[in-house]
Amino acid sequence: MTPEARFADQGHAALPIFDRATVRAAADDIAAHIDRVSRALYLPFEQSCPDAPLTERIDRIYARERSVANLLRVAVCTDAHRGARLQALANDPRLVETAEALCGRKLAGTIVRVRASIACFPEHRHAWHSDVARDDGTGCGKVLVTAWIPLADAGPDSGGLEVVAARQPAPLGEQVDDGFEIPDYRLAGLPRIRPCCPAGTALFLDRFTPHRTLAARVTRFALVVWMKAA
């Protein structure tokens, strides 16, 4: 099955887009951002575990200072995407070109953020959802395709995604206290996959494709690019 056929039928396609080393190096933007924010705090910088691997650093901070760990989690997911190497990935023309080939439509305009699966914050893993929860043609409703780009190898045991491999004609989410989630009963009988996405891979998702974050033993970061209709 071609990527285009898979996307049309199953609402997803994983394709190698970037050089593996380039993607892994982009994670250094996140480490630099954690350093930057940590140096602005009253807490001594040394207590931000600067010598820890990026995949363990927030967990180690959490063991001492839970509130600081959460502040750094929010800072990364809010602003780290502005790093030069992450911006180079987000603005690479191959992303939009591939997405347009998959969905058969012109795209214009993106939203970019870093997302993380952090062992010490399981409550912040995304439950079943689709990137367009309300098909009203405004705001997030204009998103057609998402590119999920893990900054290290990601899969079933390393903070990857679980995806419903059946394209949906409309959102399946229901309103909850803090947004929209898809209850399990709405996914009954639908096929699910847990794709392996080595660093350099972009997992493209249709706007209505249900997906959720899997648990990670160590922190996994990903760059996410939401692409809107032209």
Side-chain angles (χ1 to χ4, degrees):
M1 184 181 293
T2 66
E4 292 81 6
R6 181 177 297 107
F7 192 83
D9 181 61
Q10 300 182 7
H12 71 92
L15 294 166
I17 301 291
F18 303 106
D19 174 74
R20 178 183 180 88
T22 300
V23 170
R24 293 180 69 91
D28 290 343
D29 283 351
I30 297 173
H33 194 57
I34 293 175
D35 283 350
R36 184 182 303 109
V37 176
S38 297
R39 291 185 188 279
L41 303 177
Y42 285 118
L43 187 77
F45 178 71
E46 293 71 23
Q47 293 185 33
S48 71
C49 305
D51 296 327
L54 179 61
T55 54
E56 301 174 15
R57 187 172 179 182
I58 291 179
D59 291 292
R60 291 192 189 182
I61 296 169
Y62 179 94
R64 298 180 184 178
E65 297 280 352
R66 178 173 181 171
S67 60
V68 171
N70 189 53
L71 182 151
L72 294 172
R73 177 192 66 81
V74 173
V76 166
C77 293
T78 301
D79 200 45
H81 64 280
R82 301 179 194 277
R85 285 165 288 197
L86 292 170
Q87 282 290 298
L89 296 180
N91 294 321
D92 191 302
R94 290 175 292 180
L95 276 182
V96 172
E97 290 168 3
T98 302
E100 288 178 340
L102 291 173
C103 73
R105 291 183 59 180
K106 292 295 291 182
L107 300 169
T110 61
I111 304 168
V112 183
R113 292 292 186 274
V114 168
R115 291 293 177 254
S117 177
I118 304 173
C120 63
F121 287 113
E123 67 273 22
H124 290 293
R125 290 199 302 266
H126 289 290
W128 284 110
H129 68 286
S130 59
D131 290 326
V132 171
R134 188 163 49 197
D135 188 16
D136 58 5
T138 65
C140 291
K142 294 181 179 178
V143 170
L144 286 184
V145 182
T146 300
W148 183 81
I149 307 162
L151 302 180
D153 297 346
D157 300 317
S158 51
L161 299 184
E162 185 171 21
V163 177
V164 167
R167 190 159 185 183
Q168 302 303 307
L172 298 177
E174 297 181 1
Q175 183 83 49
V176 295
D177 289 342
D178 56 351
F180 289 83
E181 289 185 7
I182 302 174
D184 280 335
Y185 80 88
R186 302 208 69 180
L187 303 176
L190 295 176
R192 305 180 185 186
I193 62 167
R194 297 182 172 189
C196 292
C197 295
T201 300
L203 176 61
F204 293 89
L205 300 171
D206 176 70
R207 63 203 303 242
F208 300 142
T209 295
H211 56 284
R212 67 174 175 176
T213 307
L214 298 172
R217 297 189 183 95
V218 296
T219 297
R220 180 273 301 146
F221 294 104
L223 184 70
V224 183
V225 183
W226 293 276
M227 290 169 268
K228 296 183 177 184

